[in-house]
Amino acid sequence: MVELKSFFQSLKRIEKQMKAYELMDDDPEMKMKALENIIKELDLIGDAALEGIKDATDLLKKIGSEDVGKRIEKLTEIN
């Protein structure tokens, strides 16, 4: 499953890079490096999110739609 800790760590690194970018004067090379680091972190977040989606999809496939339908029916009968 998705580890939220890695998301938060990436977001903290992005925040630091954004602050560094804002503090940089007119050094295009350093600004470019900061932007590259931000893009790398966003890419890592995207990869982790896709992995989480795949895991959730696999779990849904294991449950099967018939089983889900039966569970929903049981829940509606209780109320």
Side-chain angles (χ1 to χ4, degrees):
M1 281 295 168
V2 177
E3 290 187 30
L4 293 179
K5 185 178 180 180
S6 63
F7 278 116
F8 290 115
Q9 289 171 344
S10 284
L11 290 173
K12 285 180 183 180
R13 286 190 289 270
I14 289 170
E15 185 178 9
K16 287 179 184 178
Q17 288 294 319
M18 290 297 292
K19 287 179 182 177
Y21 180 85
E22 291 171 1
L23 293 174
M24 291 177 196
D25 291 327
D26 291 326
D27 186 352
E29 188 175 324
M30 290 301 290
K31 283 188 169 189
M32 194 63 138
K33 185 67 174 168
L35 291 174
E36 287 174 1
N37 289 337
I38 291 169
I39 291 168
K40 286 178 187 177
E41 289 299 327
L42 290 170
D43 191 40
L44 290 174
I45 290 172
D47 290 346
L50 284 174
E51 196 60 39
I53 291 168
K54 288 178 186 176
D55 291 344
T57 302
D58 289 342
L59 287 174
L60 283 173
K61 287 178 183 177
K62 287 179 184 177
I63 293 171
S65 60
E66 186 176 318
D67 189 37
V68 171
K70 288 178 184 177
R71 289 180 186 200
I72 291 172
E73 191 175 309
K74 286 181 183 179
L75 289 173
T76 55
E77 289 174 3
I78 293 172
N79 295 328

